[in-house]
Amino acid sequence: MVGDGFRVHNFFPSGYDMPQDRMSPFFLMDYNSKVEFSPTDKPRGVGVHPHRGFETVTIAFHGRVAHHDSAGNSGVITEGGVQWMTAGSGVLHKEYHDETFSKTGGLFQMVQLWVNLPAKDKMTAPKYQGISKEQMTTIKHYGVEVRLIAGEIEGKTGPASTFSPIVMAVIELQAGAEYSFGLEETFNTGILVVDGNVNLQEDYFAEENQFVLFQNSGTDIHLKSQSGAQLLLLSGQGLNEPIAAHGPFLMNTYEEIHQAIKDYNQGKFGFLEE
Ligand code: MN
């Protein structure tokens, strides 16, 4: 559990068979697979904590997540929506179930990504982008709906602004549907099966809650689903810079980590009420 609101499995960084920068610029993926929460008057979640040097990107598939940070930004992410928070030079934030969702309880499913920032942008000013499902760029084919969050597919561009080249999209396939599209060959690419199951590149089968890591060879992705599927596509150009990770901080050197801890302890990340 992260706090009392997020029951997550951590796909990467794994520390086992996957190098720390294998999905760069995506550094971390926490996945809360489907779980039922009972009704409560006290919203579950994670209290005030700091971040520096990266972005937290939270996608809600079921349930609603609220956010407040010390830069004065706040928002509620509704089903199918995204919170794209740039911590940059540093914020305090808290993340918890939205009050209305907490009162009714119900099915909850979400993903949080930590998107690393290039060295030159690590100390950028904090920023917040709330993107609802309806605000995403839609690509439709027979039995296929792509909701593009960031980057480009088929010449269309998603609404999120990013600091390095990233393609992020939710892809829905109806039962029996197929979809082929192109990505940059050098990008690191992975697909999380959020719902249903899918055949990838003809040869591979993946079911709900599995994460598929692609080789960096070839540009064409081919998907086919017998049952129907909802997929989260992550693809990006690796930053190819040193990584120094410690708790809620993600920098290039351990000197910068020590500085982050010092700045946090001196109150330089601002103030946020619990
Ligand atoms: Mn956080």
Side-chain angles (χ1 to χ4, degrees), residues 6-274:
F6 305 97
R7 186 206 63 179
V8 300
H9 298 89
N10 178 236
F11 278 88
F12 58 83
S14 71
Y16 299 104
D17 51 357
M18 192 171 157
Q20 202 176 30
D21 63 350
R22 180 59 183 82
M23 270 300 290
S24 174
F26 308 98
F27 175 75
L28 174 148
M29 183 170 79
D30 270 348
Y31 173 50
N32 188 135
S33 60
K34 288 171 190 163
V35 63
E36 286 280 341
F37 279 105
S38 58
T40 176
D41 288 331
K42 189 181 169 296
R44 299 175 176 94
V46 196
V48 175
H49 60 279
H51 291 301
R52 171 181 280 180
F54 63 102
E55 303 180 285
T56 63
V57 178
T58 310
I59 305 155
F61 292 100
H62 290 285
R64 292 155 63 96
V65 183
H67 159 98
H68 277 88
D69 68 47
S70 54
N73 296 308
S74 64
V76 173
I77 171 178
T78 52
E79 287 204 344
V82 176
Q83 287 175 343
W84 197 299
M85 187 203 64
T86 307
S89 60
V91 291
L92 306 176
H93 80 159
K94 51 185 180 179
E95 311 160 77
Y96 47 92
H97 298 183
D98 160 65
E99 201 172 331
T100 55
F101 173 77
S102 298
K103 281 188 173 134
T104 57
L107 188 61
F108 190 79
Q109 185 186 26
M110 56 133 269
V111 172
Q112 183 169 93
L113 299 155
W114 288 15
V115 178
N116 205 352
L117 286 168
K120 67 175 177 50
D121 298 313
K122 282 201 178 283
M123 295 301 278
T124 190
K127 190 169 90 172
Y128 180 83
Q129 304 172 73
I131 301 164
S132 69
K133 187 176 177 178
E134 293 71 29
Q135 288 169 324
M136 294 172 188
T137 304
T138 311
I139 301 168
K140 283 184 179 172
H141 298 288
Y142 185 74
V144 178
E145 181 171 318
V146 179
R147 292 190 294 278
L148 194 51
I149 299 163
E152 194 181 305
I153 294 177
E154 293 190 56
K156 292 195 173 184
T157 307
S161 82
T162 66
F163 288 84
S164 65
I166 285 172
V167 179
M168 190 184 295
V170 176
I171 300 173
E172 277 189 8
L173 301 170
Q174 301 296 315
E178 288 184 58
Y179 182 49
S180 294
F181 61 101
L183 291 170
E184 296 291 331
E185 181 168 2
T186 55
F187 281 19
N188 297 316
T189 297
I191 287 179
L192 175 70
V193 183
V194 174
D195 202 32
N197 56 56
V198 67
N199 282 85
L200 307 110
Q201 318 300 77
E202 316 290 352
D203 299 330
Y204 297 94
F205 175 76
E207 50 192 23
E208 189 170 309
N209 301 335
Q210 290 186 327
F211 178 72
V212 180
L213 178 65
F214 282 72
Q215 294 180 346
N216 301 43
S217 59
T219 58
D220 296 332
I221 306 286
H222 180 72
L223 308 170
K224 182 175 184 171
S225 182
Q226 294 299 340
S227 65
Q230 182 168 217
L231 311 170
L232 175 64
L233 167 74
L234 307 174
S235 186
Q237 189 174 72
L239 297 179
N240 205 17
E241 293 176 343
I243 293 172
H246 180 80
F249 308 121
L250 188 50
M251 306 302 290
N252 299 110
T253 68
Y254 284 95
E255 287 71 29
E256 291 167 343
I257 292 287
H258 293 139
Q259 190 63 47
I261 294 167
K262 200 172 156 190
D263 290 349
Y264 169 61
N265 287 333
Q266 289 179 352
K268 291 186 180 168
F269 282 45
F271 175 77
L272 184 65
E273 208 172 319
E274 282 289 348

